[in-house]
């Protein structure tokens, strides 16, 4: 919701729903959904009002738990205190979605701190809860998190297995952007273990999806990966061409191309004559 609204429109929405006595008419769920908008606008006073309101009108322990969780995230509470909330949530009727969300967030915190074993264990617990709930969207997020942790642990075989499972799931959910991203991440893992042909095929699949979706970011990721593979094979001309095509995509959209793409093309331009000279050298 935050990314879909301009700051001006976000302010209008918040004012409409919270000014005067309007906030009395919103429930806990809506109040919690509005908090990220207020955070984005750096309106701390409104964030606190929304948190207080969400807690005050919560209809049961689960809703109060969601409100407490949102407050803990904003206050950057410790992982242990969040896990205590997750444990309480699991004992509540209908509390497992909250417990799964808390475990997922704590796993992210541990991953950012480099505590990868703890992150993996807690993320696995979150995924198991979501599997029990048949929360397919949550499972997709959980698999993505576990894949990211496995990559940080250099456990690429596990990362590929998780990424493959995630890809099948997002295909089933018809989430095309997530599918594009999942294919590119698998391509990167395949390249890391030296399976360059499989990686090239996956990057091309991701690029095709990115073009269909009109995703410039997706095209950047896929073309950058294809350029990497071309360079590994010392095919500098192909690497330069795939990146030059990306420059044209940005130009067609009236956007400036990333500097790192321009710098890489310049570097390849310097490499290309050297490579050709070597190819023409007498045997």
């Amino acid at each position: 919701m935050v990314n879909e609204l301009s700051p001006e429109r976000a302010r209008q929405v918040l004012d409409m729903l919270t000014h005067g006595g309007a906030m009395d008419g919103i429930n806990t769920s809506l109040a919690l959904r509005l908090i990220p908008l207020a955070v984005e606008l750096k309106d701390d006073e409104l964030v606190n009002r929304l948190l207080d309101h969400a807690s005050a009108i919560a209809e049961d322990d689960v809703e109060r738990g969601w409100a407490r969780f949102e407050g803990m995230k904003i206050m950057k509470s410790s992982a242990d205190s969040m896990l205590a909330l997750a444990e309480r949530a699991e004992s509540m009727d209908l509390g497992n979605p909250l417990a799964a969300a808390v475990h997922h967030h704590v796993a992210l915190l541990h991953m950012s701190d480099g505590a990868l074993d703890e992150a993996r264990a807690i993320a696995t617990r979150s995924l198991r809860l979501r599997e029990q709930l048949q929360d397919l969207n949550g499972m997709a997020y959980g698999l993505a998190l576990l894949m990211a942790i496995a990559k940080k642990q250099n456990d690429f075989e596990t990362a590929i297995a998780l990424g493959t499972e995630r890809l099948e799931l997002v295909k089933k959910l018809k989430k095309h952007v997530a599918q594009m991203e999942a294919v590119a991440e698998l391509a990167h893992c395949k390249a890391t273990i030296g399976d360059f042909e499989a990686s090239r095929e996956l990057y091309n699949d991701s690029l095709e999806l990115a073009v269909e979706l009109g995703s410039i970011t997706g095209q950047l990721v896929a073309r950058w990966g294809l350029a990497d593979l071309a360079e590994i094979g010392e095919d500098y001309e192909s690497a330069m061409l795939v990146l030059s095509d990306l420059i044209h995509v940005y130009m067609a959209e009236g956007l400036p191309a990333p500097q790192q793409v321009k710098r890489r093309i310049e570097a390849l331009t310097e490499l290309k004559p050297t490579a050709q000279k070597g190819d023409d050298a007498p045997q």
Side-chain angles (χ1 to χ4, degrees):
M1 184 176 182
V2 176
N3 293 332
E4 295 171 358
L5 299 177
S6 67
E8 295 77 14
R9 181 56 180 157
R11 174 51 67 187
Q12 290 175 356
V13 169
L14 287 172
D15 288 348
M16 178 179 65
L17 293 173
T18 64
H19 268 197
M23 189 180 290
D24 294 339
I26 66 177
N27 60 20
T28 295
S29 177
L30 179 54
L32 294 177
R33 289 173 60 195
L34 292 176
I35 287 172
L37 283 178
V39 170
E40 186 76 11
L41 295 176
K42 297 180 172 57
D43 191 337
D44 295 338
E45 187 271 337
L46 181 56
V47 169
N48 290 328
R49 283 177 57 213
L50 285 165
L51 278 172
D52 290 344
H53 178 76
S55 297
I57 66 165
E59 295 183 354
D60 52 36
D61 287 342
V62 174
E63 284 198 347
R64 277 185 287 275
W66 280 108
R68 178 166 173 72
F69 177 41
E70 193 64 36
M72 294 174 87
K73 288 192 290 183
I74 291 169
M75 297 299 293
K76 301 188 186 306
S77 298
S78 70
D80 287 343
S81 61
M82 289 189 177
L83 288 176
L85 173 61
E87 185 177 349
R88 290 196 298 275
E90 287 191 59
S91 68
M92 302 174 190
D93 289 338
L94 305 178
N96 277 354
L98 172 59
V102 175
H103 277 102
H104 185 97
H105 184 75
V106 172
L108 284 169
L109 294 178
H110 280 307
M111 183 175 71
S112 67
D113 288 340
L116 299 179
D117 290 339
E118 291 87 344
R120 191 167 186 164
I122 294 169
T124 299
R125 177 58 184 159
S126 176
L127 180 61
R128 295 296 169 259
L129 287 168
R130 283 168 164 164
E131 287 172 344
Q132 292 172 19
L133 295 163
Q134 283 297 293
D135 175 7
L136 301 185
N137 285 302
M139 288 165 59
Y141 288 123
L143 289 165
L145 175 56
L146 281 166
M147 181 184 185
I149 294 168
K151 286 168 67 176
K152 285 181 175 292
Q153 292 179 312
N154 294 317
D155 184 358
F156 289 99
E157 294 296 341
T158 297
I160 288 168
L162 291 164
T164 301
E165 186 178 353
R166 176 196 175 202
L167 177 58
E168 293 306 312
L169 185 54
V170 294
K171 281 182 179 179
K172 181 178 179 179
L173 292 169
K174 300 187 185 304
K175 290 187 170 292
H176 302 301
V177 172
Q179 182 180 339
M180 172 192 73
E181 294 169 349
V183 172
E185 288 175 15
L186 276 174
H188 179 264
C189 288
K190 289 285 188 180
T192 302
I193 64 171
D195 192 349
F196 300 130
E197 286 306 313
S199 177
R200 183 175 291 104
E201 183 177 341
L202 287 165
Y203 271 130
N204 277 316
D205 288 346
S206 183
L207 178 58
E208 184 177 337
L209 283 166
V211 171
E212 290 176 4
L213 294 168
S215 171
I216 296 181
T217 300
Q219 291 187 56
L220 170 61
V221 171
R223 290 185 185 279
W224 192 272
L226 288 167
D228 285 342
L229 294 174
E231 282 200 60
I232 289 169
E234 298 185 352
D235 185 355
Y236 304 113
E237 183 173 0
S238 292
M240 188 165 63
L241 286 173
V242 77
L243 292 173
S244 296
D245 287 343
L246 182 60
I247 295 289
H248 293 308
V249 171
Y250 277 91
M251 291 175 61
E253 294 294 327
L255 298 171
Q259 286 300 314
Q260 64 266 36
V261 175
K262 294 179 179 179
R263 286 194 294 268
R264 189 169 183 185
I265 291 173
E266 290 172 2
L268 286 166
T269 302
E270 295 174 1
L271 282 171
K272 184 183 169 188
T274 303
Q276 289 178 330
K277 182 177 180 180
D279 292 340
D280 296 338
Q283 301 296 313

